[in-house]
Amino acid sequence: MTSTSSSSRPRRILVTGASSGIGAATARLMRAQGWDVVAAARRTNRLDALATETGVEPFTCDVTSDDDVAALAAHLEATGGLDAVVNNAGGAFGLDRVEDADVIGWQRMYDINVLGTLRVTKAVLPLLRASAQTTGGSDIVVITSTAAHDTYEGGAGYTSAKHAERVLGTTLRWELAGEPLRVIQISPGAVATEEFSLKRFGGDQARADATYAGFTPLTADDIADTIAWTLTRPAHVSIDQLTIRPRAQANNWKIVRTGV
Ligand code: 8X3
């Protein structure tokens, strides 16, 4: 239990992109640790299955929709407020060189990764502030990527969106300094999830599988565990920025593979 909790009710956390991968693993783990979890994503059927399995509260929401995010914030306000948010919704579309870039794909990446985090954070910030008055502290987690710190050939669309998301988070942290709010940024490297690479490669399973061949990648549970750790540090401890990679990954483009 985080030392920021002083109220009698369980702490309540919103996880976006909760229908699969890191988001689902985080929702599952935080619920298992006794938090009230609002699991938000576009796909209602997946959220409902997660809710049945774990007891999280499902809320259908597309972070690229102003109306959906406003409805989510109104729901949170009407049902007990919020103590923490994990901005996890995001993704990569394509691995094209700049000269071949699909502008629509870049717009989608910017809308989900950057503006999605902006929309959700803006909408829930008043609730987090209100909660911090009684609990002593609230948290904003931003899941960026190692792509937020450096680039790689073919990755400019995703890496530039993730760089922008990181700068949003860093700026917010500076702006909120002095308030009982932490802004925690986590930058995962290669994480093998059901969908990340599949989406990137437009459903090409063989290409997606090849991304993680010959080494042991991180799992969604590894990242969920990291998120839970950052959230449960004492209130005066802010994990400003945490980079996490598989042992076999030296940097964004060097992964030591065997047998491939
Ligand atoms: C995912 C990491 O290496 O595919 O955020 O950019 S990478």
Side-chain angles (χ1 to χ4, degrees), residues 8 19 34 43-44 47 64 80 84 89 127 134-135 147 162 172 188 201 245 252 259:
S8 53
S19 59
R43 292 174 294 182
T44 307
L47 289 180
T64 68
L127 304 179
T134 54
T135 63
K162 284 297 187 185
L172 179 66
F201 296 124
R245 299 183 199 264
N252 283 9

Side-chain angles (χ1 to χ4, degrees), residues 63-253:
V63 300
T64 68
S65 160
D66 291 337
D67 290 347
D68 279 14
V69 172
L72 172 61
H75 170 76
L76 292 168
E77 184 173 14
T79 55
L82 193 69
D83 303 302
V85 59
V86 179
N87 284 290
N88 166 72
F93 307 107
L95 191 65
D96 302 323
R97 290 162 56 86
V98 172
E99 63 184 331
D100 304 319
D102 168 26
V103 172
I104 303 293
W106 280 51
Q107 284 172 334
R108 278 177 75 199
M109 286 189 276
Y110 204 86
D111 204 8
I112 295 174
N113 293 285
V114 188
L115 302 181
T117 293
L118 174 64
R119 284 185 193 94
V120 171
T121 302
K122 267 190 77 176
V124 302
L125 190 53
L127 304 179
L128 296 172
R129 275 204 176 106
S131 138
Q133 295 306 312
T134 54
T135 63
S138 297
D139 294 314
I140 298 162
V141 180
V142 182
I143 307 302
T144 61
S145 168
T146 48
H149 303 269
D150 210 341
T151 191
Y152 45 89
E153 288 166 54
Y158 181 61
T159 59
S160 52
K162 284 297 187 185
H163 274 69
E165 187 183 14
R166 173 174 61 85
V167 170
L168 181 165
T170 301
T171 308
L172 179 66
R173 183 166 186 274
W174 294 358
E175 291 171 350
L176 296 181
E179 296 192 52
L181 293 158
R182 298 185 296 195
V183 180
I184 297 164
Q185 300 205 68
I186 299 175
S187 304
V191 184
T193 59
E194 178 192 353
E195 294 187 310
F196 177 82
S197 288
L198 203 57
K199 263 197 238 168
R200 161 165 267 178
F201 296 124
D204 184 336
Q205 187 70 59
R207 228 178 142 194
D209 290 346
T211 307
Y212 308 108
F215 74 105
T216 305
L218 299 175
T219 65
D221 287 339
D222 293 325
I223 308 308
D225 186 43
T226 303
I227 293 167
W229 178 78
T230 64
L231 286 168
T232 51
R233 294 312 85 212
H236 69 285
V237 177
S238 178
I239 307 300
D240 170 10
Q241 166 61 49
L242 190 153
T243 301
I244 174 170
R245 299 183 199 264
R247 188 176 59 189
Q249 183 175 27
N251 57 39
N252 283 9
W253 53 90

